[in-house]
Amino acid sequence: MGIENKNIEMGAFLVKKLTEIGIALSAEKNLSRLLEKIVEESRNFSNADAGTLYIMDEDEERLEFAIVQNDTMKIRMGGEAGPITWQPVPLKKEGKPNFSNVSSYVAITGTIVNIPDVYEAEGFDFSGTRAFDGGTGYRSKSMLVIPMKNKGNETIGVLQLINALDTETQKPIPFAPEYVDLVASLASQAAVAITNVRLYRDLERLFESFIETIATAIDEKSPYTAGHIRRVQELTIAIAKKMNEQEEGPFKDFFLNNDELHELRLAAWLHDIGKIVTPENIIDKSTKLEKVFDLANLIDTRYEIFKRDIAIKALEEKLALCKVGALEEMEFIRIGQKALEQYSVLEEEKEFIKTCNKSGEFMDDKKIERLKKIAANKWNYQGTEMPYLTDGEVYNLSIKKGSLTPEERKIIENHSLVTYKMLSKLPFPKKLRHVLKYAAAHHERLDGTGYPFGKKADQLSYPERIIAIADIFEALTAKDRPYKKPMSISTALDVLDSLRKSGHIDGDILDLFIKEKVYAEYADRELDPFQIDC
Ligand SMILES: [Fe+2]
Ligand SMILES: [Fe+2]
């Protein structure tokens, strides 16, 4: 076999190796690991003892140290080991391009620099390299510095390889010229991979920030639910992580990896997205008569009119007596007393209506009957006979429990169906394919009585059940709901326990929630001290 054939074989081998490295790089989605791999692979490829990878900062003003590797010195810095704190290399000095540093020179000019011995090289300032050598006893000799250019031919970083080692003697030798093009090609493949990973990461961040922005907007829609979504998402993850830790019991086979936890977190961020269409006045309805404002104020005013009508009537009667000259004191007193009696009846009625209007007031049949009786009274408004209370007022005041009419409750409940409809329009990537399912099921119940789809236990996975419990616990303990005082943890846990007994929520998750005090950290952060009673 001639030398030429050998060269061809070697060339084919290197190209094959390069292709393999390119494929490996493009498969790496983690930026830190990708950067490490780039330095490792290019060092392997060129048999270099050390290597540094610089990344251009966003303003394109400096090169930041991303990876430093040195086999002889057993140094591994950057990447997964955390950021390097060394001062970046400026691309400009006193307003002029920094050509004295070899890496910045390469970054600015886009050319490759191959130096057999940096101590003998001219044109560049290697004081930094010498200082490193002086401090460590290392001897930097040959150096290959290559710009990393992406598809748009923009330099996004610089790869610096130090001390190519002779395969037999392991002594530093110059980087062979035939390797230079191949390492340059590897560097551009690396640049493309970095650009792709960054693009992917930026898109992912943008998507997540967008979701959080929408969730915040929904929370902000109502001052009474501010922070609900954020808090549900925190509780959800706390529960899931605790379930992950279990090696025994019902969750021993349950495990969500980082991607799956991320998917669950997004689902929790999105669970109430359907509330975007729910009118605020229904979300915030704190009394039975509260529409855009509390209609109870109108009734109050109306009762003031009733009272004035009585006063006027009494005065008219007295005036009539005066006119006919019948100035009997007793009759005057009688008229006054009658007016006072009517006053107190009205006052009592007004107070009764006020009590009925409270969301916490349970309305039994007797109270509803009394309400109807009051409503049937008539008063004169601009010559027309009007009932004391309108049909709508009676309907709202007769709400047996809570502050919502069945129609308003339907509107509120509709939000989970809207969540489903909205999210089903989004083309979630495979990694996030369960977001829709998890997010839309937070009001489903294991016994099938939930909404929007009435799913049953066998259709509800653990992640769906976790969000449901987090949602209820947050709602019960929230400090900012208009229609109720915040519950203490023990009371909230009692309510959750009753929901478990009625077959609504998962008992195993609840047991873990209570036993492991999964809520503890959350409570310290989010609840008032008086609520934290267990
Ligand atoms: Fe909800
Ligand atoms: Fe919710």
Side-chain angles (χ1 to χ4, degrees), residues 103-117:
S103 306
S104 61
Y105 172 84
V106 167
I108 297 164
T109 60
T111 51
I112 296 170
V113 171
N114 188 2
I115 303 172
D117 189 341

Side-chain angles (χ1 to χ4, degrees), residues 219 228-229 232 268 271-273 275 415 442-443 467-468 470-472 474-475 481:
D219 275 353
H228 165 71
I229 297 173
V232 168
H271 81 279
D272 272 340
I273 194 172
K275 280 193 182 159
H415 80 271
H442 64 284
H443 291 298
I467 302 182
D471 192 46
I472 299 168
E474 196 289 329
R481 300 291 157 104

Side-chain angles (χ1 to χ4, degrees), residues 350-467:
K350 199 176 82 176
E351 282 313 307
F352 173 68
I353 292 166
K354 255 191 188 160
T355 310
C356 293
N357 188 32
K358 287 182 185 156
S359 69
E361 185 68 12
F362 178 76
M363 294 294 284
D364 57 25
D365 292 347
K366 245 170 94 184
K367 287 182 195 158
I368 294 175
E369 211 38 58
R370 181 167 178 209
L371 204 58
K372 284 183 179 160
K373 236 171 150 180
I374 294 172
N377 290 325
K378 296 285 189 296
W379 67 294
N380 188 302
Y381 179 66
Q382 294 180 338
T384 309
E385 272 213 329
M386 303 284 284
Y388 270 25
L389 301 172
T390 66
D391 288 348
E393 286 161 354
V394 173
Y395 184 62
N396 279 275
L397 287 167
S398 305
I399 296 168
K400 293 206 164 183
K401 224 176 136 191
S403 57
L404 299 173
T405 63
E407 294 75 17
E408 288 163 343
R409 194 162 291 285
K410 273 240 139 55
I411 293 172
I412 290 255
E413 288 181 0
N414 190 44
H415 80 271
S416 59
L417 183 61
V418 178
T419 291
Y420 179 84
K421 284 181 182 168
M422 285 175 74
L423 297 186
S424 56
K425 295 267 185 292
L426 298 180
F428 284 102
K430 200 173 160 207
K431 218 164 70 160
L432 303 175
R433 63 186 178 281
H434 299 114
V435 167
L436 165 68
K437 185 167 111 95
Y438 295 168
H442 64 284
H443 291 298
E444 299 287 2
R445 293 167 170 174
L446 300 185
D447 63 358
T449 59
Y451 54 89
F453 300 119
K455 283 185 174 182
K456 289 213 170 87
D458 58 350
Q459 297 166 287
L460 294 166
S461 63
Y462 276 139
E464 290 158 284
R465 298 174 188 208
I466 296 171
I467 302 182

Side-chain angles (χ1 to χ4, degrees), residues 15-132:
V15 168
K16 186 169 170 273
K17 180 96 179 103
L18 200 61
T19 312
E20 282 170 8
I21 295 170
I23 291 168
L25 294 185
S26 63
E28 183 57 67
K29 295 283 176 282
N30 178 309
L31 188 57
S32 298
R33 280 202 296 271
L34 174 64
L35 298 176
E36 278 175 359
K37 258 189 196 166
I38 291 167
V39 180
E40 257 158 38
E41 295 293 357
S42 37
R43 283 180 45 236
N44 281 343
F45 197 67
S46 56
N47 207 30
D49 184 42
T52 299
L53 193 152
Y54 302 88
I55 292 288
M56 182 98 80
D57 75 333
E58 273 187 25
D59 304 330
E60 300 187 355
E61 285 190 350
R62 55 188 74 85
L63 291 174
E64 281 164 356
F65 284 89
I67 304 286
V68 172
Q69 295 177 355
N70 187 313
D71 274 359
T72 303
M73 304 305 301
K74 299 198 174 12
I75 291 175
R76 284 284 184 282
M77 287 164 72
E80 291 286 274
I84 300 173
T85 52
W86 291 357
Q87 283 299 312
V89 178
L91 293 181
K92 275 188 184 156
K93 265 188 170 173
E94 291 159 1
K96 290 187 183 141
N98 178 10
F99 287 144
S100 63
N101 181 291
V102 67
S103 306
S104 61
Y105 172 84
V106 167
I108 297 164
T109 60
T111 51
I112 296 170
V113 171
N114 188 2
I115 303 172
D117 189 341
V118 292
Y119 281 30
E120 286 169 16
E122 284 178 10
F124 295 112
D125 174 11
F126 283 109
S127 55
T129 311
R130 282 175 187 268
F132 175 84

